[in-house]
Amino acid sequence: MASPQLGKGYIGIANEIWDEIISRKFTERQQKILKLVLRLSYGCQKKEAVIPLLKHFELCGVRIQDAKKEITYLQQCKVISWDGKQIYSLNKNYDEWRVSLVKEWDRNKFSELISLNLSKIKVTKSVTQKEADLPESYENCNSEVTKSVNGELRKVEVDQPSNPCESKVEGTSKDMFKDSIKVSCCLSDPDSVFEPYQGNPDSVPKPEADTGSDQEVSQIDYRNQVASRYLQRRGKGLEISFNDEETVTQFMAERIPLQTVIDGIDQSFDNFKPKNKWDQIRNLSYCATVVYSLHAKREKSNTAEIQIATSIPNAPIETASTVTADDLKELLANLRSKQGV
């Protein structure tokens, strides 16, 4: 059974050096070279290591063709010194090292980890020594905290639901918990996110040069209404993506009425039939096809109504859609009589 002892030798090097080696982006081969240099220098109570041949680096798993390249790199980064032959030494002034830190390195967290390990030793000793003297319960303890508790100070627990909003209960899988974070509980209430548009249904986004028309809505309101409706029907997410923003911008460029866009989104989700449990509407561009089709259909319908209204003399446009067949016959007869037919 192995039983290493400090009396048989150890590497006497400051912890700051180890901290820097841990936190720098050294490759596996570079770390092996550093360890071999430290073992043959500080491990032998010297500041320099003597390694006669590059072939000796094969002892730590670095091939000859790789050893010179890695040693030259460490020398250029001012991590080690090399005379070009057989003398190697570590540069203890790590401020001169030109090797960047690892991405995840955090000095504060590392210090907390060191403090945790140092304090854990002290706590373990104190607990072990007085373990038999610990009181069985808080009420039987003779500490000062117990003396300060009286009838006026009572432990009061605030009533809370057994499963707060979007919390992880026992037995819930991690995937379900991730999905619950993405899907906000507030989105389950349509009125909390989306307020139905109460303005003119034919309102279009205002151009950059605002004309002040009552049939125009600001671009900000237009975007907010479209985004809120899409997120509410989708059922998850707190904001739309960059691609969705581009789709809304295209709607505004085409001057599609806000109500048409909202109706198109509703029709897209109402008529969507998923092919499997993972199938879903993932972006607003899916709804764009329905929006454009609905817009073209409504424009065609409005044009037909205007043509019918203008072909009937003295007939107001707003009442043209309510004209019956008998009215058309009567108006046509009057028109023929005036033309002498």
Side-chain angles (χ1 to χ4, degrees):
M1 179 178 177
S3 179
Q5 302 295 328
L6 292 177
K8 296 180 180 180
Y10 59 92
I11 300 178
I13 189 171
N15 285 336
E16 292 184 32
I17 300 295
W18 287 118
D19 296 349
E20 292 300 321
I21 294 176
I22 293 172
S23 63
R24 304 289 180 134
K25 285 185 178 180
F26 292 114
T27 64
E28 183 180 357
R29 288 198 293 260
Q30 293 166 4
Q31 288 183 357
K32 289 180 177 180
I33 293 174
L34 283 175
K35 291 176 182 178
L36 182 61
V37 171
L38 290 175
R39 174 64 180 87
L40 297 177
S41 57
Y42 289 94
C44 297
Q45 306 302 316
K46 296 180 180 180
K47 294 184 178 180
E48 296 179 343
V50 179
I51 306 176
L53 302 174
L54 293 177
K55 183 177 178 62
H56 291 148
F57 284 97
E58 292 182 349
L59 296 173
C60 61
V62 181
R63 299 179 298 178
I64 297 178
Q65 55 267 36
D66 296 326
K68 185 174 182 180
K69 179 180 65 175
E70 298 296 350
I71 293 171
T72 302
Y73 173 81
L74 292 173
Q75 184 183 23
Q76 292 175 349
C77 294
K78 296 185 177 181
V79 178
I80 64 173
S81 298
W82 180 39
D83 64 351
K85 296 181 180 180
Q86 59 182 8
I87 304 300
Y88 301 84
S89 62
L90 177 72
N91 180 17
K92 296 194 298 182
N93 187 7
Y94 52 79
D95 289 335
E96 296 180 353
W97 294 4
R98 297 178 182 176
V99 181
S100 59
L101 297 172
V102 296
K103 182 179 179 180
E104 296 80 4
W105 176 254
D106 189 326
R107 174 64 65 179
N108 295 330
K109 290 184 179 179
F110 186 71
S111 299
E112 291 176 0
L113 192 59
I114 292 176
S115 300
L116 176 63
N117 284 271
L118 292 175
S119 62
K120 187 175 182 180
I121 298 175
K122 297 180 180 179
V123 171
T124 304
K125 289 183 179 179
S126 62
V127 170
T128 305
Q129 293 174 357
K130 299 181 180 181
E131 183 177 2
D133 299 330
L134 292 176
E136 296 180 357
S137 65
Y138 177 77
E139 289 77 6
N140 296 333
C141 180
N142 296 323
S143 63
E144 296 180 358
V145 177
T146 305
K147 294 180 181 180
S148 63
V149 177
N150 51 42
E152 298 179 357
L153 298 176
R154 298 181 299 107
K155 182 179 178 181
V156 179
E157 295 183 357
V158 180
D159 293 335
Q160 293 182 349
S162 58
N163 182 21
C165 176
E166 305 304 337
S167 65
K168 182 180 179 182
V169 296
E170 184 177 359
T172 305
S173 64
K174 294 182 179 179
D175 295 335
M176 294 179 63
F177 182 54
K178 292 178 181 178
D179 293 337
S180 66
I181 296 177
K182 297 179 181 179
V183 183
S184 173
C185 63
C186 301
L187 292 177
S188 61
D189 183 6
D191 295 334
S192 64
V193 175
F194 176 75
E195 296 180 359
Y197 181 60
Q198 302 294 338
N200 192 328
D202 297 326
S203 295
V204 295
K206 292 181 180 179
E208 295 182 359
D210 185 10
T211 58
S213 172
D214 59 351
Q215 290 190 352
E216 292 179 344
V217 62
S218 67
Q219 294 187 6
I220 296 178
D221 292 340
Y222 190 95
R223 287 181 181 274
N224 290 342
Q225 288 284 333
V226 174
S228 298
R229 189 57 173 177
Y230 171 71
L231 293 175
Q232 185 264 333
R233 290 306 306 266
R234 190 183 180 198
K236 63 180 179 180
L238 300 177
E239 58 182 12
I240 59 178
S241 64
F242 176 78
N243 292 333
D244 294 339
E245 288 280 359
E246 292 293 329
T247 304
V248 178
T249 302
Q250 186 65 29
F251 289 158
M252 294 193 296
E254 298 290 340
R255 294 183 65 79
I256 299 179
L258 177 58
Q259 191 62 49
T260 301
V261 177
I262 294 175
D263 293 342
I265 293 174
D266 289 338
Q267 290 185 15
S268 300
F269 280 92
D270 292 340
N271 300 328
F272 178 72
K273 296 180 180 180
K275 298 179 181 179
N276 53 65
K277 65 178 182 179
W278 304 110
D279 193 15
Q280 59 180 330
I281 297 178
R282 302 181 183 275
N283 49 61
L284 188 58
S285 60
Y286 178 89
C287 308
T289 304
V290 181
V291 171
Y292 289 132
S293 300
L294 187 61
H295 177 56
K297 181 178 179 181
R298 290 183 177 179
E299 274 195 334
K300 183 177 180 180
S301 176
N302 293 336
T303 303
E305 291 180 358
I306 293 174
Q307 290 177 351
I308 293 175
T310 54
S311 64
I312 303 174
N314 302 325
I317 295 178
E318 59 271 13
T319 60
S321 59
T322 60
V323 177
T324 62
D326 294 336
D327 295 335
L328 287 174
K329 290 180 181 179
E330 182 179 355
L331 292 172
L332 184 59
N334 294 335
L335 182 61
R336 289 180 177 178
S337 63
K338 291 181 180 180
Q339 294 178 351
V341 180

